[in-house]
C-alpha cells in the first residue's frame, strides 16, 4: 500500500494573511503554541510562512551595529525594547517568501525526506499553489506506526 501525503495530512489549518500585523500572529503563537503559520493570499494560495524565529530574528542586533559597537557593546536590553515595534510590522515584512511545500499525491516518505533535509517539523501541502493542508513529522510517524501495528496484529 502506497502512503500519500494527502492520506495523513491535517486539513484544518490555521492561516494568516500578508497584511496582518505581527501582533495578531504573535498572539496566536503564544496562545495556541503555534511555532509557525502558513501565509495565504485572498485566493488561498500559499505565499509564505511566518515562524517564531522570524519574529525573534527582528530583535537580533544588525551586522552594522555589531561592527560599530562590537559584540559586547550591543545593548541587548535595548534590543528587547524594540519588540513593540516588531509587533506593528506586517506579516509580509517578516515571513519567508516562496516557502517549500509538498503535494498531496507525494509519497509520504519522500515528503518526510524533504522535511528532514530542511530541518522542518511541519510543511505546507499545496495543490496547484493553493494550501490544502499541513504535514507534520508526527503525522508521518503515526501513519507508519498504525500501518505496521495493524499488520503486526494481523499476523
Amino acid at each position: 500500500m502506497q502512503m500519500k501525503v494527502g492520506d495523513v495530512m491535517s486539513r484544518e489549518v490555521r492561516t494568516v494573511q500578508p497584511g496582518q500585523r505581527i501582533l495578531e500572529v504573535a498572539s496566536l503563537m503564544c496562545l495556541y503554541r503555534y511555532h509557525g503559520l502558513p501565509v495565504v493570499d485572498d485566493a488561498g494560495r500559499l505565499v509564505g510562512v511566518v515562524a517564531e524565529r522570524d519574529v525573534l530574528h527582528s530583535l537580533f542586533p544588525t551586522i552594522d551595529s555589531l561592527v560599530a559597537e562590537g559584540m559586547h557593546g550591543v545593548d541587548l536590553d535595548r534590543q528587547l525594547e524594540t519588540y513593540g515595534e516588531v509587533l506593528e510590522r506586517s506579516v509580509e515584512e517578516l515571513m519567508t517568501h516562496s516557502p517549500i511545500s509538498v503535494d498531496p499525491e507525494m509519497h509520504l516518505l519522500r515528503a518526510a525526506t524533504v522535511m528532514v533535509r530542511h530541518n522542518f517539523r511541519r510543511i505546507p501541502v499545496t495543490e496547484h499553489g493553493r494550501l490544502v493542508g499541513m504535514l507534520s513529522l508526527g503525522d508521518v510517524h503515526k501513519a507508519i506506526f498504525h500501518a505496521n501495528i495493524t499488520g503486526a496484529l494481523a499476523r
Side-chain angles (χ1 to χ4, degrees):
M1 172 188 133
Q2 184 183 25
M3 296 171 123
K4 294 183 180 180
V5 168
D7 298 331
V8 301
M9 69 184 188
S10 298
R11 294 180 188 281
E12 300 284 323
V13 181
R14 179 65 183 230
T15 63
V16 294
Q17 293 195 305
Q20 284 182 261
R21 289 177 29 218
I22 291 297
L23 173 62
E24 297 171 69
V25 174
S27 297
L28 291 170
M29 288 175 171
C30 292
L31 187 61
Y32 296 106
R33 304 188 84 190
Y34 294 132
H35 301 288
L37 292 160
V39 183
V40 296
D41 64 14
D42 291 334
R45 287 184 301 267
L46 181 69
V47 295
V49 172
V50 63
E52 285 176 315
R53 73 174 162 263
D54 299 321
V55 176
L56 295 176
H57 186 264
S58 299
L59 298 175
F60 298 164
T62 64
I63 296 294
D64 292 340
S65 67
L66 287 174
V67 169
E69 302 171 36
M71 184 59 183
H72 298 292
V74 174
D75 185 348
L76 296 177
D77 290 328
R78 190 178 72 219
Q79 290 296 131
L80 281 176
E81 291 170 5
T82 66
Y83 186 68
E85 297 167 22
V86 172
L87 294 178
E88 294 302 318
R89 295 175 73 180
S90 72
V91 168
E92 188 168 28
E93 291 178 70
L94 300 185
M95 73 183 191
T96 298
H97 295 263
S98 304
I100 296 169
S101 65
V102 294
D103 187 276
E105 292 299 311
M106 183 181 278
H107 192 286
L108 194 58
L109 281 182
R110 186 175 311 279
T113 301
V114 171
M115 295 168 72
V116 169
R117 187 171 0 128
H118 292 283
N119 200 26
F120 295 162
R121 291 211 38 82
R122 56 196 61 72
I123 193 165
V125 182
T126 57
E127 196 166 39
H128 308 293
R130 297 194 71 230
L131 182 70
V132 294
M134 288 291 284
L135 180 70
S136 73
L137 286 178
D139 296 332
V140 173
H141 188 201
K142 184 177 175 181
I144 293 169
F145 175 81
H146 282 293
N148 282 279
I149 198 70
T150 303
L153 291 175
R155 286 184 240 167

